[in-house]
Amino acid sequence: MAPLLAAAGLVVVTQAGAPAAQAAPAWGPCPESVTTPGAVCTTVSVPEDHTQPDGERIDVTVSKLPARNPAARRGVLFGNAGGPGGDSLTYFDDDEVATWPQEIRDEWDLIGVQPRGLAHAGPLHCAPLDPGDLLTLATNSGGALRASCEAVGGDRWRHLTTENTARDWEEVRRALGEERISIHGLSYGTLLGSTYATLFPQYTDKMVLDSGVHPDWIWNEMLLQQSEPYKRRVHAMFDWIAANDAVYGLGDTPLAVYQRWSARVVEESGAVPTLAPPPAREGDVPPEWRVVARQWIDGVTLTGPARAQLDGMASQLLRPGAMQSHSILFAATRQAAPQSVLWPEIATAIRDGSPIGAQTPDMPEVPEEFLISLNMQAIVVCNENSVPPNPLAYPGFLWTQFATGDLFDSVGLMFTSGAACAGAPPVTTPVDLRNHGLDTQPLLLNSLGDPQTPHHGALALADRMGAHVVTVEGGDHGVVANQFIHPVRPGELFKTAEWEHLEAAAQAGQLLDCKTLGQRMAEAGRTMAVLSTATKGASRMMNSSAHDL
């Protein structure tokens, strides 16, 4: 067995003697999901259990977009799409919709290492669970999933952890024959990249952490911390739609837009949504109340949350079986909130009552690769969950999950109460993230109002990793990967001497190219789709980004 070394609070598994040499990778065609011309793929064999290097192995698929200008090549850039569960083979896909900065494409070999457990990397196969078994969902959700995976693939689930995926990266680095790697991690990818940099600082070159995750929130606290920011972000969406009333005609105040949205949710589900309305404004005051407008505004704003709850409960009593989560618009609104490029799609759906995305009758309800991804994500989260559950939150979880169907609260409560990982205690402790003498200071970028990776949590990661922080106004999730760095500033991500210019560009609002995703997809002749994930209304919008936690 490999000896263990304890240093600075970090346990590092080392090989007894020099690592076995790996054959040079044979590059060839990629899976069909990789669409960028010039992309090539290979597989690298890695230990299923890195503490047993001579044991069972799995083949991890690796994609590469070679640097377009070999003379300017600066090395390899490993990227991770987030999740956990985001497809990294397609992370650097470069097309009409998601275009990476030209300098990055010219100067780096862009490497996607498919995380273990996903398709093309020892996929996690599990027996189907009964979505109608509410007792299991409430009391043994994590345990039932583990049992379903073990019934098909044995204890392979046990080895799906962030640390093991980071060690897979090291196996890939060695196979590529690269002295060092640079890293771009999105969302969960900031944890994965930081884990690699903590374990292998000597092989880490430059690192960009895009929308950082608080290391101490893994994972029960992470989902709870998203709840209120998601609500604020939806209010910001309604504010944006109101500001574009000339385009959408849904009202010129956020409250007016909310009311139109609420009516559509009722049409789809029969239930009034319990999301609290945004604060009232002068434009909302009825003519007969103008004399006491301030009092009317304060009263409507103060009572709004309670009225939403009471109206939701009343609608469900009048229509047995009605639940707001049965509305695709309701679920898609939450899903789209972190990405302002998606807001026009929501506004159009509210205005026209049209379905969101492509409606394809022969499309399977849940594609197999997507289901594998969802199961892999749930397994990783429970395997390394380091935040104790709060049993006092359990009644709230039951109420929002089974009584009201309020996705804005139920997701966070499901995790913080312990219900999400019930029956599945952690099997590992996450690596204690630290900057152990990295030669180049990492760069962390985060939007101020990002609901998926709240800004104050990202600052905690920056502190652990000694990262330079650039804060971007707004609240979009993913500064580089999803908002498209403006082409006048692309190369400065990996040039520390230019970070002051990067900050100035962010402060001047010149950092981002914010053409909407709808515009990009229309120009490319592509559409989005909403897919059910096992229960009616529990839908996810599928686009170029991962289904991040």
Side-chain angles (χ1 to χ4, degrees):
M1 178 175 294
L4 297 179
L5 300 178
L10 173 66
V11 177
V12 180
V13 180
T14 62
Q15 302 288 339
Q22 296 225 20
W27 298 99
C30 290
E32 291 182 359
S33 58
V34 182
T35 59
T36 301
V40 291
C41 288
T42 189
T43 59
V44 174
S45 176
V46 303
E48 182 175 69
D49 181 351
H50 281 280
T51 67
Q52 302 291 333
D54 296 325
E56 296 291 325
R57 301 183 76 82
I58 59 176
D59 289 333
V60 171
T61 301
V62 180
S63 64
K64 178 174 74 170
L65 273 175
R68 290 187 302 199
N69 183 358
R73 183 181 180 274
R74 301 174 62 190
V76 294
L77 178 62
F78 279 40
N80 180 268
D87 186 307
S88 288
L89 297 180
T90 60
Y91 184 53
F92 288 118
D93 266 5
D94 196 1
D95 56 29
E96 302 94 332
V97 175
T99 301
W100 287 83
Q102 296 303 305
E103 288 186 26
I104 291 178
R105 288 284 285 110
D106 289 343
E107 297 176 357
W108 300 88
D109 286 349
L110 304 180
I111 304 294
V113 180
Q114 186 74 323
R116 57 169 57 204
L118 294 183
H120 314 297
L124 177 71
H125 293 291
C126 308
L129 296 174
D130 179 7
D133 186 353
L134 302 185
L135 181 61
T136 296
L137 177 61
T139 61
N140 191 40
S141 182
L145 178 59
R146 277 187 182 173
S148 75
C149 299
E150 188 147 347
V152 177
D155 69 347
R156 175 165 286 183
W157 61 267
R158 183 178 297 276
H159 305 294
L160 300 183
T161 66
T162 302
E163 179 178 350
N164 279 336
T165 302
R167 293 188 181 279
D168 292 346
W169 277 21
E170 175 57 12
E171 296 288 322
V172 173
R173 181 198 66 81
R174 289 171 44 214
L176 297 180
E178 295 290 338
E179 182 178 345
R180 308 176 100 188
I181 69 171
S182 291
I183 296 168
H184 181 276
L186 168 65
S187 194
Y188 162 77
T190 65
L191 286 180
L192 176 59
S194 296
T195 299
Y196 180 88
T198 298
L199 294 172
F200 305 105
Q202 70 275 33
Y203 302 132
T204 303
D205 190 6
K206 298 171 176 60
M207 183 163 64
V208 173
L209 306 173
D210 189 347
S211 305
V213 176
H214 196 313
D216 295 340
W217 290 353
I218 308 173
W219 286 103
N220 282 341
E221 186 68 18
M222 183 69 206
L223 280 296
L224 182 66
Q225 288 285 339
Q226 292 178 348
S227 296
E228 293 305 315
Y230 259 98
K231 297 174 187 177
R232 291 194 294 269
R233 189 65 173 159
V234 170
H235 285 179
M237 181 195 304
F238 293 154
D239 195 2
W240 179 87
I241 295 172
N244 288 274
D245 185 46
V247 177
Y248 302 107
L250 295 172
D252 59 2
T253 69
L255 181 58
V257 175
Y258 168 89
Q259 290 166 344
R260 292 286 297 274
W261 171 81
S262 178
R264 290 294 188 197
V265 172
V266 173
E267 287 181 15
E268 292 184 359
S269 69
V272 174
T274 53
L275 174 69
R281 295 182 180 177
E282 285 190 15
D284 298 309
V285 181
E288 62 271 23
W289 288 95
R290 295 284 169 78
V291 177
V292 286
R294 185 71 262 164
Q295 292 87 335
W296 188 93
I297 291 171
D298 291 344
V300 168
T301 299
L302 180 64
T303 61
R307 283 186 290 104
Q309 294 291 331
L310 291 173
D311 289 346
M313 189 182 305
S315 67
Q316 290 184 279
L317 291 173
L318 292 172
R319 304 179 187 91
M323 188 172 288
Q324 59 192 311
S325 59
H326 293 175
S327 163
I328 288 181
L329 174 62
F330 179 81
T333 299
R334 185 185 185 277
Q335 186 73 10
Q339 303 296 345
S340 61
V341 294
L342 295 174
W343 292 358
E345 317 306 322
I346 300 298
T348 301
I350 299 171
R351 181 191 64 196
D352 299 340
S354 56
I356 300 173
Q359 304 297 304
T360 307
D362 58 354
M363 180 182 288
E365 189 171 60
V366 181
E368 182 183 8
E369 290 190 6
F370 187 55
L371 187 58
I372 289 171
S373 174
L374 289 177
N375 288 337
M376 176 270 204
Q377 181 183 87
I379 289 292
V380 171
V381 166
C382 294
N383 278 355
E384 57 189 27
N385 197 356
S386 61
V387 177
N390 174 16
L392 296 178
Y394 192 69
F397 157 68
L398 294 176
W399 176 254
T400 56
Q401 179 72 30
F402 301 110
T404 67
D406 186 348
L407 298 176
F408 288 91
D409 284 326
S410 65
V411 175
L413 290 170
M414 184 176 188
F415 280 85
T416 192
S417 69
C421 291
V427 299
T428 189
T429 300
V431 171
D432 182 21
L433 303 183
R434 290 288 185 267
N435 183 332
H436 294 293
L438 294 174
D439 287 343
T440 303
Q441 183 184 20
L443 172 67
L444 184 142
L445 304 104
N446 215 93
S447 295
L448 193 59
D450 185 343
Q452 284 187 257
T453 52
H455 187 259
H456 63 289
L459 294 181
L461 177 63
D463 182 65
R464 300 282 178 86
M465 299 306 297
H468 181 91
V469 176
V470 172
T471 297
V472 179
E473 292 296 324
D476 276 15
H477 181 63
V479 175
V480 181
N482 292 337
Q483 292 184 61
F484 317 102
I485 284 284
H486 196 282
V488 301
R489 299 293 181 187
E492 295 173 3
L493 285 170
F494 297 97
K495 298 175 182 176
T496 56
E498 302 295 332
W499 284 351
E500 289 185 7
H501 297 162
L502 197 67
E503 287 186 89
Q507 293 170 5
Q510 299 173 347
L511 185 64
L512 306 179
D513 173 12
C514 293
K515 182 184 292 186
T516 72
L517 184 61
Q519 290 172 315
R520 291 175 182 275
M521 300 195 85
E523 291 169 0
R526 291 167 55 181
T527 57
M528 293 175 294
V530 173
L531 305 176
S532 168
T533 59
T535 59
K536 184 179 180 183
S539 56
R540 291 179 183 269
M541 182 169 294
M542 300 294 290
N543 52 54
S544 58
S545 62
H547 48 279
D548 298 309
L549 287 172

